[in-house]
């Protein structure tokens, strides 16, 4: 049985992800977090899009996790290997055992 932790994206998440986007032509969207109580892990998922005119070899994503008091409790990274062709959209998935109530994208670094 899965329970939803944090589905709503804050404006800050979109802005943090797109702040890197214009430099590399990469955007991150539809970010969601779901807790799998059977496996005792949370999965952060979303869509990564290459909106540039050139292929991207890989993208390193960094997410910040917060507790119910708004304190940072950890960070999760997801290394998306490519190539990611121009116009291609790829699903991302970062897994963590940490329990959190809010997640934001800190960095989207294309290489």
């Amino acid at each position: 049985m899965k329970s939803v932790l944090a589905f709503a994206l804050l404006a800050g998440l979109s802005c943090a992800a797109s702040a890197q986007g214009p430099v590399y032509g990469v955007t991150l969207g539809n970010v969601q977090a779901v807790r799998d109580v059977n496996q005792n892990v949370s999965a952060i998922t979303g869509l990564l899009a290459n909106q540039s005119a050139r292929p991207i070899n890989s993208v390193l994503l960094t997410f910040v996790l917060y507790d119910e008091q708004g304190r940072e409790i950890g960070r999760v990274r997801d290394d998306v290997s490519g190539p990611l062709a121009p116009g291609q959209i790829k699903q991302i998935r970062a897994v963590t055992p940490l329990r959190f109530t809010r997640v934001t994208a800190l960095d989207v670094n294309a290489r």
Side-chain angles (χ1 to χ4, degrees), residues 2 5 32-36 41-45 93-96 100:
K2 293 181 180 179
L5 278 181
Q32 302 175 2
V34 177
R35 183 82 183 165
D36 184 336
V41 296
S42 292
I44 301 164
T45 61
R93 180 177 165 90
V95 179
T96 180
F100 58 93

Side-chain angles (χ1 to χ4, degrees), residues 75-88:
R75 295 184 180 198
V76 176
R77 291 200 169 108
D78 187 25
D79 194 1
V80 181
S81 57
L84 194 62
Q88 184 177 0

Side-chain angles (χ1 to χ4, degrees), residues 14 22 34 39 42-43 48 55 63-64 72 109:
S14 298
V34 177
Q39 302 263 335
S42 292
L48 185 69
F63 297 99
V64 181
E72 181 179 330
N109 187 349

